[in-house]
Amino acid sequence: MSSPQREWFEKDYYAVLGVAETADQKDITKAYRKLARQLHPDANPDDPVAEERFKEVSSAYEVVGDPEKRQQYDEVRRMGPVGANGFGGFGPGGFGGAGGARFEASDLSDLIGNLFTRGRQGGGGPQAASTGPRRGTDIEATLTMTFDDAARGATTTVNVVSDVRCPDCFGSGAAVGTAPLVCPDCNGTGAVAEDQGFFSFSSPCPRCGGRGRIIESPCPTCSGLGSVRRPRQVKVRIPQGVRDGQRIRVKGRGGAGANGGPDGDLYVRVQVEPHPMFGRDGDNLTLTVPVTYPEAALGADVTVPTLSEEPVTIRVPAGTRSGRTFRVRGKGVATPKSTGDLLVTIEIDVPTEVNDEERAALEALAAARTAPSPRSHLEA
């Protein structure tokens, strides 16, 4: 059994998951999965509030989603709430009644934690480092992609360093040719009963450290831990339309689990290199296209590039001002859910140098102009 954390006294995990304290395990799992889908970082990129809520929901489910931990949690909560003045629930004076000893939250957490974990220190060696199946750690890697690859999606590999199952003992922790033995003190349960006054607790078996087994001949490669730290390559499928800074979850490719626990997850954070021509606004592509003054004044058909390498032609009507944006439907970034548009912004190209013939033409145009000055509204 794991020792209770201080948060157990302070947080209502049932409220976090939106279920009643009497809910069965099936309803708790159903509520967790629903919230996890809504709050997962992959569904809410760059949303720190959703990410923090996702962690809170995951922490709650890690406790009440495990029948053994849930039983501990319920027992601890029935002892009474932890308030600003100490531990209450046994009378107006807190723990022990009026005038009795009072405990701050940190003191009480340590006290109860010691009751749950008493005896663990007696089990030396690598087998005492854990108390039952434990999920592997989540790891994170960074992947740099070109703008085009991010838009189209790609399958690639990332380099990570993490715990992996020992290649010699295959995670058992026992030397080749041997096997772990069932602990005779706890009969393989990993826990022994212990009475503590008003309460009866199950604490980790001191002989096997809560694992339920004893390794008499530890594997020399992993020293009996069942895992070693190694560099490795992980294949990752990046979906089309991934955004800069988005995290992609690769389930089960994180650190190795311990004592039969599941492996952790790998989170790949994508960094997208800028494109020399295109920008991105959500799922829309942005593009600035220069046109000449005659094209803007008289109108013209202008060919513009797209990410698909199939150019499109847009009609620039006569009298188009610099800065006007035209929308080309369906030529933006395609994602698994939708496709954006191409937003083309016109920019009138003003020459910095003109030859004699061009100068004469521009002077003739200025002389022929009969429209009011464009600055007439500024005149007093």
Side-chain angles (χ1 to χ4, degrees):
M1 278 191 177
S2 61
S3 62
Q5 305 297 319
R6 179 175 180 177
E7 289 77 8
W8 289 18
F9 303 93
E10 302 171 344
K11 292 186 179 181
D12 185 345
Y13 289 142
Y14 295 106
V16 171
L17 294 172
V19 297
E21 293 186 11
T22 56
D24 58 27
Q25 294 299 134
K26 183 177 180 181
D27 289 337
I28 290 175
T29 299
K30 183 178 179 181
Y32 164 71
R33 289 176 177 173
K34 179 180 179 181
L35 290 171
R37 284 194 298 269
Q38 294 174 350
L39 300 169
H40 198 280
D42 289 350
N44 302 274
D46 303 323
D47 187 344
V49 175
E51 183 172 354
E52 189 64 30
R53 177 83 170 109
F54 176 76
K55 292 179 180 178
E56 184 180 23
V57 168
S58 299
S59 297
Y61 183 68
E62 184 177 351
V63 177
V64 298
D66 183 314
E68 188 176 2
K69 289 183 180 179
R70 181 184 181 185
Q71 183 180 4
Q72 289 186 35
Y73 176 70
D74 290 343
E75 288 177 357
V76 168
R77 285 175 58 80
R78 278 196 291 270
M79 293 174 63
V82 177
N85 296 323
F87 183 81
F90 288 86
F95 188 87
R102 302 182 66 84
F103 297 93
E104 296 299 326
S106 59
D107 300 329
L108 182 64
S109 181
D110 292 339
L111 171 65
I112 302 300
N114 289 335
L115 295 181
F116 275 99
T117 58
R118 187 182 299 264
R120 182 179 303 174
Q121 298 173 354
Q127 68 269 26
S130 179
T131 56
R134 186 175 71 249
R135 182 179 182 274
T137 58
D138 292 337
I139 59 177
E140 184 168 311
T142 299
L143 175 65
T144 300
M145 304 184 67
T146 65
F147 193 96
D148 288 344
D149 284 344
R152 297 179 181 130
T155 298
T156 184
T157 58
V158 295
N159 297 317
V160 298
V161 178
S162 69
D163 293 333
V164 298
R165 281 183 173 78
C166 177
D168 291 341
C169 69
F170 302 101
S172 71
V176 176
T178 68
L181 302 177
V182 175
C183 176
D185 288 5
C186 65
N187 295 320
T189 63
V192 293
E194 182 177 359
D195 292 328
Q196 293 290 334
F198 294 106
F199 308 100
S200 178
F201 297 100
S202 291
S203 61
C205 174
R207 182 165 183 176
C208 66
R211 297 181 69 174
R213 56 182 185 158
I214 297 175
I215 300 175
E216 292 186 334
S217 300
C219 171
T221 302
C222 65
S223 301
L225 296 176
S227 63
V228 291
R229 194 162 184 81
R230 296 278 175 83
R232 57 192 173 98
Q233 287 190 328
V234 180
K235 180 181 287 188
V236 181
R237 171 60 185 167
I238 304 298
Q240 62 179 355
V242 65
R243 300 183 184 184
D244 182 51
Q246 186 173 338
R247 292 202 314 168
I248 306 299
R249 177 186 178 220
V250 186
K251 186 176 181 181
R253 300 311 303 271
N259 306 329
D263 294 343
D265 298 333
L266 166 65
Y267 287 89
V268 179
R269 186 176 296 277
V270 178
Q271 292 182 347
V272 181
E273 296 176 337
H275 195 278
M277 291 188 301
F278 296 105
R280 184 167 177 178
D281 181 9
D283 291 338
N284 296 325
L285 283 177
T286 60
L287 177 66
T288 299
V289 175
V291 298
T292 65
Y293 176 78
E295 287 175 327
L298 302 177
D301 292 328
V302 178
T303 300
V304 297
T306 66
L307 271 184
S308 64
E309 298 181 356
E310 296 178 0
V312 296
T313 300
I314 62 172
R315 178 61 184 173
V316 178
T320 295
R321 294 176 178 270
S322 186
R324 181 175 176 180
T325 298
F326 297 87
R327 183 183 298 269
V328 183
R329 300 285 181 182
K331 292 297 181 179
V333 177
T335 69
K337 295 182 179 180
S338 62
T339 301
D341 302 328
L342 173 62
L343 306 179
V344 180
T345 299
I346 297 300
E347 181 181 80
I348 297 178
D349 179 49
V350 179
T352 57
E353 295 182 3
V354 294
N355 56 35
D356 293 342
E357 186 178 356
E358 291 171 332
R359 178 177 296 277
L362 290 172
E363 291 175 348
L365 175 62
R369 181 178 176 88
T370 59
S373 169
R375 298 180 295 278
S376 58
H377 64 291
L378 301 178
E379 298 175 358

